[in-house]
Amino acid sequence: MVDIATRVYNHKWKIDPIVRSLIDTDFYKLLMCQSVFRNKPDTEVTFSLINRTTEIPLAELIDEGELREQLDHIRSLSLSRGESTWLRGNMFYGKRQMFRPDFMEWFENLQLPPYHLERVGDQYELTFEGQWPEVMLWEIPALSVLMELRGRAVLAPMGRFELQVLYARAMTKLWEKIERLRPHSGLRIADFGTRRRHSFLWQDWCVQAMMEGLGERFVGTSNCLIAMRREVEAIGTNAHELPMVYAALAGTDAALARAPYEVLADWHEEHEGNLRIILPDTFGSEAFFRNAPDWLAGWTGVRIDSGDPVEGAETAIRWWESRGEDPRQKLVIFSDGLDDDVIVDLYRRFAGRVRVSFGWGTLLTNDFRGLVDGDRLAPFSLVCKASAANGRPTVKLSDNPEKAMGPPEEIVRYKRVFGVGEQVRREVVV
Amino acid sequence: MVDIATRVYNHKWKIDPIVRSLIDTDFYKLLMCQSVFRNKPDTEVTFSLINRTTEIPLAELIDEGELREQLDHIRSLSLSRGESTWLRGNMFYGKRQMFRPDFMEWFENLQLPPYHLERVGDQYELTFEGQWPEVMLWEIPALSVLMELRGRAVLAPMGRFELQVLYARAMTKLWEKIERLRPHSGLRIADFGTRRRHSFLWQDWCVQAMMEGLGERFVGTSNCLIAMRREVEAIGTNAHELPMVYAALAGTDAALARAPYEVLADWHEEHEGNLRIILPDTFGSEAFFRNAPDWLAGWTGVRIDSGDPVEGAETAIRWWESRGEDPRQKLVIFSDGLDDDVIVDLYRRFAGRVRVSFGWGTLLTNDFRGLVDGDRLAPFSLVCKASAANGRPTVKLSDNPEKAMGPPEEIVRYKRVFGVGEQVRREVVV
């Protein structure tokens, strides 16, 4: 029986909003936001959207008016009472009151700042400028909106049953991955797929399928809204934007060399246990470990987010051993380019040597490869990064030169300051 | 938003009825019923359920109480006003008032007669006795109920997402068949899958997927309820039960030899055009054609329902040619053991030589092969046949001795009377 009121209500919407909540974002964004709010609140930053897959002509696929409507809708959002209660009262990583009252009060009154959108050729230039704690919260919703609008453009001409079969195929594809993961009872996998998901509803389906299909092997999701609704753990620690901005703010080469560790010194004061996870690759992992202060070796683990993951983990293990730490007590979180086969390989290789965990992203929540003609739903490499801080450009080196960003002369300087040598190029899938 | 009233209403049902309408049956059942109602209304018949796949222990899988509830529910059904209006007013095979007022009046007042159910070992004995026009209408709902209850037994322990993925896989499987059929623009395919469908909702989905995916290549469904609701053609002509019962009623060998043609003489008076389709295999096709009267060569086509389909069609073509008919004007309907590959093969072979059409049954509406462990959802060979008429056993020879039925001594007599020699055994898939 049709619920007439619901139907009429649904048809009153001018748009079908893609992002409907300020906490439809990654948990680490909120952790980092609180840290920035405390330590660097007045930093002026610019975040820029970059489509690394330039063959995909976003501006031809996505109507500018529709994109503006979606972005405007996000600016109209504010934290709901239930969301606020959850953030204030829920236990995250075993800790209550993770978010301090002053931060919560600020967040409860937040609306996202304006955006700048311009079409350049067949791409969009989308940038956000302003105070770091506000601007940084644009990253995930901006990516979600662009990914989902691109999907909608591809899906628009499809028939009803064709669509149902498309999702049937995607469901089967994910379920078969889950079936291949299930036999490995020691696996610990989290959903890290918000930023490049096919759509919100699809990510929500993926999380629920993982809950049923993987049981305790599925440890939670980076998406706060889904974590709240599905009553699973919110997962995440910190990202490259912290060292990138701290580094850009450094006035001298010596300050630059210290910047990555200052980030973690601030983090050390705020967090403990499983939140003390090193992300070593921003300016090259080898150099990071070489120059790391001793107290960092006491941290719980590392996240490997670029380069060869085996090499990355071996580097961390060698570093722990050289500092007298027992790697078997340490946590290695893999989060780059994962799919079920890579997960099983890495798990087999490192289980027993370290504690292993996986942050499974794009190929969890957006593996529509091969499902439509011309592969027009395949995920692509869209990022939204801090590109400047207080008027100075940011730089990322990464363990894969394909993922490096920043002005060429600055890249040269950073490589010199951090002592980064030759790096191996790896294809960036997503 | 939950429609509370709908939810409460749904939970008030004591059972989830499998058959909810008297016209959730094959169209040819109603055509034959009208013919029987006119020509042989007082014949006493017995219909018996036979599970030819004895490895499937129906009585262990299906609770007897649940089975009785479903059968009792069917006995509580009567024709609704809308169903009656559709049968009276709809155009079938280009003709209005296909169903005569006296038949419709009888049908509007019909409730199905009692059933006899007994557990014997791990199987059920399910029989129906009484006047032919009433009893014959049990065949399709009885089969649907048993097939669907068996499916429900297998599905009962499965999780929510596991179930969704099961149907996702089944949808994908059918859609891939549709995609392989689509390039052949001259194909004409009807759904003949009511009797061994996975479930009503699944058959309804299959029909709609065919409508979208095959366009005009999909010509309709044998299921009256779905034809009415989805506004497609109801398809079907006649079946083995007519010659089987006519033959059983014959008092002498000479009368027996005439019986299959008397059936068609009665049909000839009632129907024309595409409803004049010969089903030659009840007592062997070769013999049928050899002894057929000339006027039958003027009929529109034949339906090939057992034996080697290529041989069956070639036999018909040779017969038409021998009677001076042009095969290119004739219709050959294939309806035995079809799947997309068989359909394409037969189409390629006969298109241009005759008009070709397909009645696609079990592997359209119940291809769950390979989708659960132990293949416990694979279709199986369940039939419900007239086993006696006025106290005399019925016989079917078919063009495949695996499909023969009746007492052995009667099979011998029929083979002698009809002059049937050696036959080739073919595995009965479904």
Side-chain angles (χ1 to χ4, degrees):
Chain A
M1 203 177 291
V2 176
D3 179 343
I4 306 171
T6 299
R7 192 183 156 94
V8 171
Y9 177 78
N10 284 343
H11 278 265
K12 286 196 319 186
W13 288 78
K14 288 203 197 89
I15 59 167
D16 179 10
I18 288 170
V19 175
R20 296 178 183 215
S21 159
L22 280 188
I23 67 165
D24 178 10
T25 193
D26 279 340
F27 178 66
Y28 76 176
K29 272 285 170 181
L30 301 188
L31 285 186
M32 290 191 291
C33 186
Q34 172 168 259
S35 178
V36 167
F37 176 78
R38 179 186 195 172
N39 298 305
K40 309 268 181 198
D42 298 324
T43 313
E44 292 285 321
V45 296
T46 305
F47 269 66
S48 309
L49 189 96
I50 301 152
N51 176 12
R52 296 193 286 214
T53 314
T54 46
E55 313 87 80
I56 295 182
L58 283 181
E60 278 174 21
L61 287 167
I62 298 171
D63 179 73
E64 186 176 329
E66 271 183 68
L67 175 53
R68 285 185 185 276
E69 281 175 335
Q70 291 291 347
L71 296 171
D72 291 341
H73 181 77
I74 293 169
R75 290 202 64 214
S76 79
L77 296 172
S78 61
L79 211 56
S80 81
R81 184 164 166 171
E83 292 162 351
S84 171
T85 300
W86 181 76
L87 287 175
R88 284 175 179 266
N90 190 55
M91 188 181 281
F92 299 102
Y93 281 80
K95 178 178 167 185
R96 289 204 189 277
Q97 271 109 42
M98 176 70 80
F99 297 102
R100 287 184 299 275
D102 62 331
F103 173 72
M104 284 308 304
E105 207 165 300
W106 170 83
F107 194 21
E108 281 158 358
N109 288 295
L110 177 74
Q111 288 191 293
L112 291 192
Y115 59 88
H116 308 279
L117 176 66
E118 208 179 314
R119 184 179 169 148
V120 179
D122 60 8
Q123 299 294 334
Y124 285 118
E125 266 188 21
L126 178 59
T127 54
F128 309 93
E129 286 179 38
Q131 290 185 305
W132 192 6
E134 296 184 357
V135 166
M136 67 190 291
L137 294 179
W138 261 117
E139 176 184 354
I140 308 297
L143 292 172
S144 306
V145 159
L146 278 152
M147 292 303 291
E148 191 160 341
L149 281 181
R150 181 267 204 151
R152 288 185 185 179
V154 174
L155 302 175
M158 290 174 68
R160 185 173 166 192
F161 285 76
E162 196 181 3
L163 281 169
Q164 195 172 14
V165 171
L166 171 70
Y167 284 104
R169 284 174 163 153
M171 286 174 183
T172 302
K173 201 170 185 187
L174 175 55
W175 196 256
E176 285 170 357
K177 295 182 186 187
I178 288 172
E179 286 176 332
R180 288 191 294 268
L181 293 168
R182 193 185 295 145
H184 307 279
S185 61
L187 275 175
R188 293 296 175 267
I189 305 176
D191 157 35
F192 274 21
T194 300
R195 68 188 53 222
R196 278 186 220 113
R197 69 192 180 198
H198 170 75
S199 72
F200 172 77
L201 292 176
W202 178 245
Q203 183 183 15
D204 192 34
W205 191 92
C206 294
V207 166
Q208 293 176 80
M210 299 264 282
M211 289 170 66
E212 181 182 305
L214 289 183
E216 61 179 12
R217 297 165 196 76
F218 176 66
V219 295
T221 172
S222 64
N223 188 292
C224 296
L225 184 62
I226 295 175
M228 180 178 83
R229 290 207 185 146
R230 302 300 165 201
E231 302 192 7
V232 294
E233 293 294 323
I235 305 283
T237 56
N238 56 63
H240 301 107
E241 75 174 279
L242 293 181
M244 283 169 73
V245 172
Y246 274 56
L249 297 177
T252 64
D253 284 358
L256 173 59
R258 282 194 306 271
Y261 308 106
E262 269 168 25
V263 168
L264 301 183
D266 284 347
W267 199 261
H268 192 90
E269 275 186 35
E270 297 175 89
H271 300 296
E272 50 195 23
N274 282 352
L275 283 173
R276 286 187 177 167
I277 301 295
I278 300 165
L279 179 66
D281 69 330
T282 313
F283 307 119
S285 298
E286 289 277 354
F288 178 91
F289 286 123
R290 195 165 55 238
N291 303 321
D294 280 335
W295 56 267
L296 258 184
W299 274 35
T300 306
V302 300
R303 179 157 73 91
I304 312 288
D305 199 46
S306 65
D308 179 339
V310 172
E311 235 171 74
E314 295 290 359
T315 302
I317 288 170
R318 278 194 305 272
W319 175 65
W320 280 316
E321 285 169 343
S322 75
R323 306 283 172 122
E325 298 283 332
D326 178 3
R328 285 171 305 174
Q329 308 298 319
K330 298 295 185 181
L331 183 60
V332 173
I333 301 171
F334 296 100
S335 63
D336 182 40
L338 296 182
D339 207 356
D340 61 292
D341 52 347
V342 181
I343 289 173
V344 170
D345 281 355
L346 290 170
Y347 174 71
R348 286 202 175 119
R349 189 182 287 262
F350 289 104
R353 297 182 60 202
V354 290
R355 292 158 53 210
V356 185
S357 184
F358 297 91
W360 190 9
T362 310
L363 296 181
L364 166 60
T365 61
N366 199 357
D367 192 358
F368 282 66
R369 294 174 300 176
L371 299 187
V372 297
D373 288 343
D375 227 358
R376 289 164 299 129
L377 281 181
F380 61 103
S381 192
L382 193 68
V383 295
C384 182
K385 292 284 183 189
S387 53
N390 286 351
R392 304 156 70 106
T394 64
V395 168
K396 183 182 169 190
L397 298 179
S398 165
D399 285 333
N400 178 2
E402 290 289 322
K403 283 185 165 184
M405 357 190 324
E409 66 281 9
E410 285 294 288
I411 291 182
V412 170
R413 181 169 79 95
Y414 275 61
K415 281 189 162 183
R416 172 175 54 72
V417 168
F418 290 103
V420 173
E422 201 62 36
Q423 293 179 305
V424 181
R425 283 185 190 276
R426 292 171 64 90
E427 193 194 353
V428 177
V429 180
V430 281
Chain B
M1 206 176 291
V2 176
D3 178 344
I4 306 170
T6 299
R7 193 184 155 94
V8 172
Y9 177 79
N10 285 342
H11 278 263
K12 286 196 321 183
W13 287 79
K14 289 204 197 88
I15 59 167
D16 180 11
I18 289 170
V19 175
R20 299 179 181 215
S21 159
L22 282 187
I23 67 165
D24 178 11
T25 194
D26 279 341
F27 179 65
Y28 76 177
K29 271 286 169 179
L30 301 187
L31 284 186
M32 289 191 292
C33 186
Q34 172 167 259
S35 179
V36 168
F37 176 79
R38 179 187 195 173
N39 299 304
K40 309 270 182 196
D42 299 324
T43 313
E44 292 285 323
V45 297
T46 304
F47 269 64
S48 308
L49 188 97
I50 301 151
N51 177 12
R52 296 193 287 213
T53 314
T54 48
E55 313 88 79
I56 294 183
L58 283 181
E60 281 175 19
L61 288 168
I62 298 171
D63 178 74
E64 185 175 328
E66 271 184 68
L67 175 54
R68 285 185 186 276
E69 282 176 332
Q70 291 291 345
L71 296 171
D72 291 343
H73 181 77
I74 292 169
R75 289 202 65 215
S76 79
L77 296 172
S78 62
L79 210 58
S80 79
R81 185 165 165 170
E83 292 163 350
S84 172
T85 299
W86 181 75
L87 286 175
R88 284 175 180 266
N90 190 55
M91 190 182 280
F92 299 101
Y93 282 81
K95 179 178 165 184
R96 289 204 189 276
Q97 271 106 45
M98 175 71 78
F99 297 102
R100 287 183 301 275
D102 61 331
F103 172 73
M104 283 307 304
E105 208 165 299
W106 169 85
F107 194 20
E108 281 156 0
N109 289 294
L110 177 75
Q111 288 190 292
L112 290 192
Y115 60 88
H116 308 279
L117 175 66
E118 208 179 315
R119 183 178 170 149
V120 178
D122 60 7
Q123 298 294 333
Y124 285 118
E125 267 189 20
L126 179 58
T127 54
F128 310 93
E129 286 179 37
Q131 291 186 304
W132 192 6
E134 296 185 355
V135 167
M136 67 189 293
L137 294 180
W138 262 116
E139 176 184 353
I140 308 297
L143 293 171
S144 306
V145 160
L146 278 151
M147 293 302 292
E148 191 161 341
L149 282 181
R150 181 267 203 152
R152 288 186 185 179
V154 174
L155 301 176
M158 291 175 67
R160 186 173 165 193
F161 285 77
E162 197 181 3
L163 281 169
Q164 195 173 14
V165 171
L166 171 71
Y167 285 103
R169 284 173 164 153
M171 286 175 183
T172 302
K173 200 169 185 188
L174 176 56
W175 196 257
E176 285 171 358
K177 295 182 187 189
I178 288 172
E179 286 177 332
R180 289 191 292 268
L181 292 168
R182 193 186 292 145
H184 307 279
S185 61
L187 275 175
R188 292 296 176 268
I189 305 176
D191 157 35
F192 274 20
T194 299
R195 68 188 54 220
R196 276 185 223 114
R197 68 191 182 197
H198 169 76
S199 73
F200 173 76
L201 291 176
W202 179 246
Q203 183 183 17
D204 193 34
W205 191 91
C206 294
V207 165
Q208 293 175 79
M210 299 265 281
M211 288 169 68
E212 181 182 303
L214 289 182
E216 62 179 10
R217 296 164 197 77
F218 177 66
V219 296
T221 172
S222 63
N223 187 293
C224 295
L225 184 62
I226 295 174
M228 180 179 84
R229 290 208 186 144
R230 303 301 166 199
E231 301 193 10
V232 294
E233 293 294 323
I235 305 282
T237 57
N238 56 64
H240 302 105
E241 75 174 277
L242 292 180
M244 284 168 73
V245 173
Y246 274 57
L249 297 176
T252 63
D253 285 0
L256 174 58
R258 281 194 307 271
Y261 309 107
E262 270 167 23
V263 169
L264 300 182
D266 284 349
W267 198 262
H268 192 91
E269 275 186 34
E270 297 174 88
H271 301 294
E272 49 196 21
N274 282 354
L275 283 173
R276 286 186 175 166
I277 301 296
I278 299 165
L279 180 66
D281 68 331
T282 314
F283 308 119
S285 297
E286 289 278 354
F288 178 92
F289 287 123
R290 195 164 58 237
N291 304 318
D294 281 336
W295 55 265
L296 259 185
W299 273 35
T300 305
V302 302
R303 179 157 73 90
I304 312 289
D305 199 45
S306 65
D308 179 339
V310 171
E311 235 171 73
E314 296 290 358
T315 302
I317 289 170
R318 280 194 302 273
W319 175 65
W320 280 316
E321 286 170 342
S322 73
R323 306 284 172 122
E325 297 284 332
D326 178 2
R328 285 171 304 174
Q329 308 297 318
K330 298 296 185 181
L331 183 61
V332 174
I333 302 172
F334 296 100
S335 62
D336 182 39
L338 296 182
D339 207 355
D340 60 295
D341 52 348
V342 181
I343 289 172
V344 170
D345 281 354
L346 290 169
Y347 174 71
R348 285 202 175 119
R349 190 182 286 261
F350 290 105
R353 297 181 59 202
V354 290
R355 292 160 51 209
V356 186
S357 184
F358 298 90
W360 190 10
T362 310
L363 296 181
L364 166 60
T365 61
N366 198 358
D367 192 357
F368 282 65
R369 294 175 301 176
L371 299 188
V372 297
D373 287 344
D375 227 357
R376 290 163 299 129
L377 281 181
F380 62 104
S381 192
L382 192 69
V383 296
C384 182
K385 291 285 183 188
S387 53
N390 287 350
R392 304 156 68 105
T394 64
V395 169
K396 183 183 170 190
L397 298 180
S398 164
D399 286 334
N400 177 4
E402 290 287 323
K403 283 187 166 183
M405 9 192 313
E409 65 280 10
E410 284 295 286
I411 291 182
V412 170
R413 182 169 79 97
Y414 274 62
K415 281 191 161 182
R416 174 176 52 74
V417 168
F418 288 104
V420 174
E422 202 60 39
Q423 291 179 305
V424 181
R425 282 184 191 276
R426 289 170 66 91
E427 192 194 353
V428 177
V429 181
V430 280

